[in-house]
Amino acid sequence: DEGGNGDGGQTIVPGTAPGFEPFEMNVDGELVGFDIDLLEAVVAETDYELGDWQELEFDGLMPALENENIDVIAAAMTINEERQETIAFSEPYYSADQSVLVQSGGDVEAGELEDLEGLEVGAQSGTTGEGIIEDELGDDVSYTSYDNYVLAVQELERGTLDAIVIDEPVAESFADDREVEIAFTFETGEEYGFGVRQDDGDLQEALSEGIAAVEESSQYDEITREWFGE
Ligand code: ARG
């Protein structure tokens, strides 16, 4: 059926990885955030119905999609060629660069990635931040991967970790709430998309059309204002 607005369509199960403010976080047992509101608004523009959100670790999202435990990933996931070998993405819905977070008032002084050489550096498992550390710094740093960025930020506050590579908007959010600060930001030109299975072309197209509709209406700006206060 074409052109309807919601009722009686096929149900798609969304998956995300909370602990990534303000895109997805669990507040008092409730899943909230920009991606949650955005996907709900986007799906409301399509013939699909949204099922119950599944909360997974970030590096479990693509396997869960392939196993059909979930049907769509909404997790601030960067569209890139490596992932496109396995899954497909909607058109982009958000752009972000990467930042390096350090302990507030700590002794790590860094203005570029090379300054992290010899230090203890962390990122969330399976993220582009992890990929950057591996590709740019390799054996020149001692690298620890975390299931969740919240755990890495705690180690940073304690001083057991020197630096984290993380998406800039999320770095800002941690810097507002925790005893950490942004040392510097570097341009990666990353764009987030909703992930779907490669054989789900109809869903991929519907989500892209839904994003365009939400952007053209006032909804995208409202959701942005709600979570970024802009
Ligand atoms: N944008 C980065 C990536 O795609 C980090 C995403 C992490 N998302 C999350 N919900 N924890 O790798």
Side-chain angles (χ1 to χ4, degrees):
D1 75 322
E2 291 285 312
N5 246 1
D7 292 329
Q10 189 189 328
T11 298
I12 52 166
V13 176
T16 191
F20 205 65
E21 286 188 34
F23 294 98
E24 39 266 344
M25 57 265 201
N26 198 305
V27 179
D28 300 327
E30 205 196 336
L31 181 67
V32 296
F34 178 89
D35 283 340
I36 313 308
D37 286 353
L38 184 66
L39 185 65
E40 284 173 3
V42 164
V43 171
E45 298 287 340
T46 72
D47 285 336
Y48 293 88
E49 298 275 323
L50 207 55
D52 290 335
W53 283 89
Q54 304 297 307
E55 299 179 33
L56 300 165
E57 279 166 8
F58 187 75
D59 65 5
L61 288 166
M62 283 175 47
L65 185 67
E66 290 186 273
N67 293 338
E68 306 194 10
N69 291 334
I70 59 174
D71 302 304
V72 55
I73 297 171
M77 188 178 272
T78 301
I79 301 168
N80 66 29
E81 283 179 11
E82 191 183 330
R83 290 173 179 159
Q84 281 168 321
E85 285 172 16
T86 315
I87 67 170
F89 286 96
S90 68
E91 289 295 317
Y93 65 80
Y94 200 88
S95 304
D97 291 318
Q98 296 280 319
S99 293
V100 168
L101 270 180
V102 297
Q103 188 184 37
S104 299
D107 47 20
V108 176
E109 287 200 19
E112 56 179 359
L113 280 174
E114 287 66 42
D115 296 335
L116 303 181
E117 286 175 7
L119 300 181
E120 305 273 344
V121 182
Q124 183 176 30
S125 179
T127 58
T128 51
E130 175 172 78
I132 289 162
I133 296 168
E134 285 170 353
D135 293 347
E136 305 293 322
L137 295 164
D139 293 337
D140 296 335
V141 294
S142 160
Y143 174 64
T144 306
S145 85
Y146 294 86
D147 287 341
N148 199 298
Y149 270 119
V150 177
L151 299 171
V153 167
Q154 286 167 356
E155 304 257 310
L156 209 56
E157 287 180 304
R158 265 187 229 121
T160 46
L161 191 64
D162 295 314
I164 295 174
V165 179
I166 183 170
D167 301 41
E168 191 268 344
V170 184
E172 281 196 31
S173 170
F174 278 124
D176 284 345
D177 298 345
R178 314 288 292 253
E179 293 305 308
V180 295
E181 62 190 25
I182 295 178
F184 65 95
T185 293
F186 56 101
E187 203 176 310
T188 61
E190 286 172 67
E191 294 187 306
Y192 303 161
F194 297 126
V196 297
R197 282 182 291 279
Q198 289 187 337
D199 61 7
D200 253 348
D202 289 348
L203 176 58
Q204 180 187 17
E205 197 178 319
L207 291 173
S208 292
E209 286 171 9
I211 291 168
V214 166
E215 283 174 349
E216 276 161 34
S217 76
S218 58
Q219 295 178 83
Y220 188 90
D221 290 341
E222 281 164 20
I223 296 169
T224 303
R225 221 174 297 123
E226 160 100 20
W227 295 105
F228 293 92
E230 284 156 12

